[in-house]
Amino acid sequence: MGLWYVLGGRSRLMRRALLFTALFLVLNPSARAAEKRLRLAVLALKAEGVESTLADTVDETLTADLGRAGKYEVIGRSEIEAMAGFQSERLKLGCTGDTACLAEIGGALGVDRLVFGSLGRAGSLYVLNTKLLEISKAKVIARDTETVSSADGLIAAASRSAQILLGDLPVPLGATAEATSSPGGGLRHTAWPWVTLGFAALAGGAGAVCGYENQQTYQQYQANPTPSLQSQGNTYQLTQGILYGVAGAALLVSVGLLVFGGGG
């Protein structure tokens, strides 16, 4: 058929592309799930043998790092304290160590997961303990312990802890099997690998449609070689190549997320 000149057939192709995109978003639950972020509450760290102002500073750093990642809609200490209800009273009564009690508080706050922990001293060392609780199961799904020799290192320790709870860093040695096998951390346990895989299939399918239309147009052009058929065929041919390229790239990204996405 030769190289077609790119001019026509765009409105028809655009309608097909929009239809494929709409069907993909409606029928693919992973794509819809990826649009909605989970809600995460960060409780104030329990100060054990350290000044409460120091625990507050570390808590604010932890909350900011968890929110900055964009994985969760984060509710910090100030928002929690502003909420009326029984949860604040339960916290005052020492509920911070009981997962069932904390899950009840998380449910009252309307969140999916909850971070809690403590900041204390062990001799000359500062010890930051953090845990990630899955509200629906009342189960700790990730945990981390950071140990630093001075208060100056606590900000970096809080940042590392946030990354581990998010699944962006490997679980440190000595972590429990419960945290290691958790489905909550890492890109491989999110919807994104499946969203990109679905996008690859969508692009590949659209490319196949363009290939079919290209063949049909070519047959029409052989019978009636007009400029309009030539431009339509060129558009289909070029778009087919682009879509196949996008599908291949999306497939590689999906495999990369599944293999190297972290989270165990």
Side-chain angles (χ1 to χ4, degrees), residues 72-91:
Y72 294 105
E73 179 186 344
V74 176
I75 300 174
R77 187 181 72 248
S78 58
E79 291 89 344
I80 294 175
E81 291 176 350
M83 293 180 181
F86 77 95
Q87 61 268 22
S88 58
E89 296 300 322
R90 298 291 292 274
L91 287 174

mmCIF file of all heavy atoms in Angstrom, residues 72-91:
data_model
loop_
_atom_site.group_PDB
_atom_site.id
_atom_site.type_symbol
_atom_site.label_atom_id
_atom_site.label_comp_id
_atom_site.label_asym_id
_atom_site.label_seq_id
_atom_site.Cartn_x
_atom_site.Cartn_y
_atom_site.Cartn_z
ATOM 1 N N TYR A 72 -1.692 7.408 50.684
ATOM 2 C CA TYR A 72 -2.825 7.487 51.594
ATOM 3 C C TYR A 72 -3.361 8.909 51.682
ATOM 4 O O TYR A 72 -2.638 9.883 51.428
ATOM 5 C CB TYR A 72 -2.420 7.063 53.016
ATOM 6 C CG TYR A 72 -2.020 5.625 53.171
ATOM 7 C CD1 TYR A 72 -0.683 5.268 53.325
ATOM 8 C CD2 TYR A 72 -2.974 4.622 53.187
ATOM 9 C CE1 TYR A 72 -0.306 3.937 53.487
ATOM 10 C CE2 TYR A 72 -2.619 3.302 53.349
ATOM 11 C CZ TYR A 72 -1.275 2.963 53.499
ATOM 12 O OH TYR A 72 -0.919 1.643 53.664
ATOM 13 N N GLU A 73 -4.628 9.007 52.067
ATOM 14 C CA GLU A 73 -5.183 10.267 52.542
ATOM 15 C C GLU A 73 -4.968 10.269 54.052
ATOM 16 O O GLU A 73 -5.634 9.537 54.784
ATOM 17 C CB GLU A 73 -6.665 10.351 52.207
ATOM 18 C CG GLU A 73 -7.327 11.629 52.704
ATOM 19 C CD GLU A 73 -8.824 11.610 52.491
ATOM 20 O OE1 GLU A 73 -9.301 10.766 51.713
ATOM 21 O OE2 GLU A 73 -9.519 12.430 53.133
ATOM 22 N N VAL A 74 -4.000 11.062 54.519
ATOM 23 C CA VAL A 74 -3.518 10.961 55.896
ATOM 24 C C VAL A 74 -4.251 11.939 56.805
ATOM 25 O O VAL A 74 -4.433 13.113 56.478
ATOM 26 C CB VAL A 74 -1.996 11.230 55.949
ATOM 27 C CG1 VAL A 74 -1.503 11.219 57.395
ATOM 28 C CG2 VAL A 74 -1.250 10.178 55.136
ATOM 29 N N ILE A 75 -4.661 11.403 57.949
ATOM 30 C CA ILE A 75 -5.260 12.208 59.010
ATOM 31 C C ILE A 75 -4.259 12.265 60.158
ATOM 32 O O ILE A 75 -3.894 11.230 60.726
ATOM 33 C CB ILE A 75 -6.587 11.595 59.489
ATOM 34 C CG1 ILE A 75 -7.585 11.524 58.328
ATOM 35 C CG2 ILE A 75 -7.168 12.407 60.638
ATOM 36 C CD1 ILE A 75 -8.863 10.800 58.684
ATOM 37 N N GLY A 76 -3.787 13.452 60.481
ATOM 38 C CA GLY A 76 -2.773 13.612 61.518
ATOM 39 C C GLY A 76 -3.349 13.839 62.897
ATOM 40 O O GLY A 76 -4.562 13.814 63.112
ATOM 41 N N ARG A 77 -2.443 14.087 63.839
ATOM 42 C CA ARG A 77 -2.843 14.225 65.236
ATOM 43 C C ARG A 77 -3.804 15.383 65.453
ATOM 44 O O ARG A 77 -4.790 15.270 66.198
ATOM 45 C CB ARG A 77 -1.600 14.421 66.118
ATOM 46 C CG ARG A 77 -1.912 14.416 67.622
ATOM 47 C CD ARG A 77 -0.664 14.627 68.450
ATOM 48 N NE ARG A 77 -0.206 16.006 68.342
ATOM 49 C CZ ARG A 77 0.937 16.370 67.728
ATOM 50 N NH1 ARG A 77 1.685 15.455 67.167
ATOM 51 N NH2 ARG A 77 1.305 17.630 67.680
ATOM 52 N N SER A 78 -3.549 16.514 64.781
ATOM 53 C CA SER A 78 -4.396 17.683 64.989
ATOM 54 C C SER A 78 -5.828 17.423 64.526
ATOM 55 O O SER A 78 -6.789 17.841 65.181
ATOM 56 C CB SER A 78 -3.813 18.887 64.235
ATOM 57 O OG SER A 78 -3.704 18.607 62.846
ATOM 58 N N GLU A 79 -5.966 16.720 63.391
ATOM 59 C CA GLU A 79 -7.312 16.387 62.908
ATOM 60 C C GLU A 79 -8.015 15.419 63.850
ATOM 61 O O GLU A 79 -9.210 15.536 64.111
ATOM 62 C CB GLU A 79 -7.250 15.778 61.498
ATOM 63 C CG GLU A 79 -6.850 16.744 60.406
ATOM 64 C CD GLU A 79 -5.359 16.782 60.211
ATOM 65 O OE1 GLU A 79 -4.623 16.298 61.108
ATOM 66 O OE2 GLU A 79 -4.911 17.298 59.181
ATOM 67 N N ILE A 80 -7.247 14.453 64.381
ATOM 68 C CA ILE A 80 -7.844 13.474 65.295
ATOM 69 C C ILE A 80 -8.304 14.149 66.575
ATOM 70 O O ILE A 80 -9.395 13.883 67.089
ATOM 71 C CB ILE A 80 -6.830 12.359 65.613
ATOM 72 C CG1 ILE A 80 -6.535 11.544 64.346
ATOM 73 C CG2 ILE A 80 -7.350 11.446 66.711
ATOM 74 C CD1 ILE A 80 -5.454 10.506 64.527
ATOM 75 N N GLU A 81 -7.468 15.065 67.092
ATOM 76 C CA GLU A 81 -7.819 15.745 68.330
ATOM 77 C C GLU A 81 -9.030 16.648 68.150
ATOM 78 O O GLU A 81 -9.763 16.924 69.106
ATOM 79 C CB GLU A 81 -6.621 16.558 68.836
ATOM 80 C CG GLU A 81 -5.465 15.688 69.314
ATOM 81 C CD GLU A 81 -4.257 16.510 69.719
ATOM 82 O OE1 GLU A 81 -4.253 17.733 69.440
ATOM 83 O OE2 GLU A 81 -3.318 15.938 70.303
ATOM 84 N N ALA A 82 -9.249 17.101 66.915
ATOM 85 C CA ALA A 82 -10.388 17.978 66.652
ATOM 86 C C ALA A 82 -11.700 17.211 66.528
ATOM 87 O O ALA A 82 -12.775 17.806 66.563
ATOM 88 C CB ALA A 82 -10.148 18.788 65.381
ATOM 89 N N MET A 83 -11.600 15.884 66.378
ATOM 90 C CA MET A 83 -12.811 15.070 66.225
ATOM 91 C C MET A 83 -13.403 14.743 67.593
ATOM 92 O O MET A 83 -12.714 14.239 68.485
ATOM 93 C CB MET A 83 -12.486 13.762 65.492
ATOM 94 C CG MET A 83 -12.080 13.977 64.051
ATOM 95 S SD MET A 83 -11.709 12.399 63.257
ATOM 96 C CE MET A 83 -11.244 12.973 61.622
ATOM 97 N N ALA A 84 -14.678 15.019 67.753
ATOM 98 C CA ALA A 84 -15.348 14.692 69.010
ATOM 99 C C ALA A 84 -15.732 13.223 68.996
ATOM 100 O O ALA A 84 -15.878 12.600 67.958
ATOM 101 C CB ALA A 84 -16.591 15.559 69.170
ATOM 102 N N GLY A 85 -15.899 12.637 70.172
ATOM 103 C CA GLY A 85 -16.319 11.241 70.233
ATOM 104 C C GLY A 85 -15.516 10.458 71.244
ATOM 105 O O GLY A 85 -14.601 10.965 71.886
ATOM 106 N N PHE A 86 -15.826 9.189 71.302
ATOM 107 C CA PHE A 86 -15.246 8.338 72.336
ATOM 108 C C PHE A 86 -13.784 8.011 72.070
ATOM 109 O O PHE A 86 -13.050 7.660 72.976
ATOM 110 C CB PHE A 86 -16.030 7.034 72.440
ATOM 111 C CG PHE A 86 -15.726 6.059 71.344
ATOM 112 C CD1 PHE A 86 -14.778 5.058 71.520
ATOM 113 C CD2 PHE A 86 -16.389 6.149 70.127
ATOM 114 C CE1 PHE A 86 -14.516 4.165 70.501
ATOM 115 C CE2 PHE A 86 -16.118 5.264 69.119
ATOM 116 C CZ PHE A 86 -15.186 4.268 69.285
ATOM 117 N N GLN A 87 -13.309 8.109 70.811
ATOM 118 C CA GLN A 87 -11.968 7.653 70.508
ATOM 119 C C GLN A 87 -10.902 8.414 71.293
ATOM 120 O O GLN A 87 -9.916 7.840 71.744
ATOM 121 C CB GLN A 87 -11.678 7.739 69.004
ATOM 122 C CG GLN A 87 -11.755 9.112 68.386
ATOM 123 C CD GLN A 87 -13.141 9.377 67.851
ATOM 124 O OE1 GLN A 87 -14.098 8.749 68.274
ATOM 125 N NE2 GLN A 87 -13.245 10.322 66.931
ATOM 126 N N SER A 88 -11.072 9.732 71.482
ATOM 127 C CA SER A 88 -10.069 10.491 72.221
ATOM 128 C C SER A 88 -10.024 10.051 73.680
ATOM 129 O O SER A 88 -8.952 9.968 74.286
ATOM 130 C CB SER A 88 -10.376 11.988 72.136
ATOM 131 O OG SER A 88 -11.662 12.263 72.646
ATOM 132 N N GLU A 89 -11.174 9.747 74.238
ATOM 133 C CA GLU A 89 -11.220 9.276 75.622
ATOM 134 C C GLU A 89 -10.558 7.910 75.749
ATOM 135 O O GLU A 89 -9.858 7.634 76.719
ATOM 136 C CB GLU A 89 -12.669 9.210 76.097
ATOM 137 C CG GLU A 89 -13.360 10.561 76.143
ATOM 138 C CD GLU A 89 -12.652 11.529 77.079
ATOM 139 O OE1 GLU A 89 -12.165 11.091 78.142
ATOM 140 O OE2 GLU A 89 -12.582 12.722 76.741
ATOM 141 N N ARG A 90 -10.763 7.030 74.769
ATOM 142 C CA ARG A 90 -10.153 5.708 74.816
ATOM 143 C C ARG A 90 -8.628 5.809 74.770
ATOM 144 O O ARG A 90 -7.914 5.058 75.433
ATOM 145 C CB ARG A 90 -10.661 4.850 73.640
ATOM 146 C CG ARG A 90 -12.152 4.603 73.670
ATOM 147 C CD ARG A 90 -12.552 3.676 74.822
ATOM 148 N NE ARG A 90 -12.060 2.337 74.632
ATOM 149 C CZ ARG A 90 -12.700 1.409 73.942
ATOM 150 N NH1 ARG A 90 -13.862 1.706 73.368
ATOM 151 N NH2 ARG A 90 -12.213 0.198 73.817
ATOM 152 N N LEU A 91 -8.127 6.771 73.966
ATOM 153 C CA LEU A 91 -6.688 6.962 73.883
ATOM 154 C C LEU A 91 -6.124 7.416 75.235
ATOM 155 O O LEU A 91 -5.042 6.996 75.653
ATOM 156 C CB LEU A 91 -6.355 7.993 72.803
ATOM 157 C CG LEU A 91 -6.536 7.521 71.362
ATOM 158 C CD1 LEU A 91 -6.331 8.663 70.387
ATOM 159 C CD2 LEU A 91 -5.553 6.400 71.046
#
